[in-house]
Amino acid sequence: MNTTDAKRVLETALICSQQPLPVRELRVLFNDELGADTIKTLLQDLQNDWAQRGVELVSVASGWRFQSRPEMREHLDRLHPEKPPKYTRATLETLAIIAYRQPVTRGDMEDIRGVTINSLILKQLEDRGWVEVIGHREAPGRPALFATTRQFLDDLGLESLDQLPLLDSPAQQASVLESLGAAAQALQLQPGLEMEALAQTEPAPAQAGGEPPADLSPDEAVADDEDPAALTQEKA
């Protein structure tokens, strides 16, 4: 099979797939006759082929996928004028803590935020597929340890946590939280539409033990149990 035909096969498989495809699965298309390095080279060629189009080929945590470019969002939104649910600040704060300090317990999150975290928030993040329990801390009660998932990275268009910007200033913290919220809404239409805000922030390594989000200001320090829904409908 020549290069042109191989690229057509890859292109067709990726366009028809509803999920990102890793290189090991893409090799199956060719009965493993093409090596991983060759597949990656062909994928990079495809990226260049689509460079001037409204759709781009990107690599995320779970593999490769086609997605619309951020600048297309204004036009695509017209196909979906209804406003999707909006994640509350408490939910985004909790998600950010897990992303930057994982693995963490619920107690760790409450120490950082300074408020009680409603268990419904964690359940909703688990149901969304963004966080999961990866073990238990050897401490009294053996509290569950939470971490983000590959789905979380895929939905934000990231390959790894290293691509998250460091939270070293209030402005950056706000930017990340807003980007997470916008991405969460856009994902109900198509993945990757709302990552331009994160892209505008200089990326830096963000691993477990990195800078945590700052405590909430007094007017924001409201216990999460006062917001049991954890998701609210955005006002029209």
Side-chain angles (χ1 to χ4, degrees), residues 34-196:
L34 297 183
D37 290 340
T38 301
I39 296 292
K40 290 177 182 178
T41 298
L42 293 173
L43 290 169
Q44 291 170 355
D45 289 344
L46 273 177
Q47 279 184 317
N48 294 331
D49 293 344
W50 286 75
Q52 303 302 318
R53 303 183 185 181
V55 174
E56 61 182 344
L57 177 61
V58 300
S59 175
V60 294
S62 296
W64 292 75
R65 74 180 179 202
F66 277 103
Q67 66 183 37
S68 64
R69 294 183 182 277
E71 58 268 26
M72 295 292 105
R73 185 206 167 197
E74 176 184 355
H75 306 284
L76 295 178
D77 276 354
R78 295 168 185 164
L79 295 175
H80 303 273
E82 67 279 1
K83 295 182 179 180
K86 180 180 180 181
Y87 287 84
T88 64
R89 183 175 181 83
T91 301
L92 299 182
E93 291 268 358
T94 302
L95 178 59
I97 291 171
I98 297 173
Y100 282 89
R101 295 297 299 272
Q102 59 186 300
V104 291
T105 66
R106 178 174 172 177
D108 296 332
M109 302 176 215
E110 291 176 342
D111 288 342
I112 292 172
R113 294 197 63 231
V115 294
T116 300
I117 294 178
N118 192 314
S119 58
L120 184 57
I121 288 180
L122 294 174
K123 183 179 184 302
Q124 287 170 333
L125 290 176
E126 288 183 282
D127 291 344
R128 184 64 181 80
W130 281 350
V131 304
E132 63 182 350
V133 175
I134 62 170
H136 295 80
R137 178 172 294 170
E138 293 301 327
R142 300 188 74 246
L145 289 168
F146 292 88
T148 53
T149 63
R150 281 184 176 272
Q151 184 67 48
F152 167 75
L153 295 173
D154 288 347
D155 286 351
L156 294 185
L158 305 175
E159 292 185 71
S160 70
L161 292 172
D162 292 342
Q163 293 180 320
L164 284 172
L166 287 175
L167 301 185
D168 56 6
S169 73
Q172 284 185 321
Q173 293 170 23
S175 175
V176 170
L177 291 174
E178 290 171 5
S179 298
L180 289 173
Q185 296 179 56
L187 285 171
Q188 299 186 43
L189 308 183
Q190 178 170 341
L193 293 180
E194 285 284 353
M195 286 308 298
E196 63 266 30

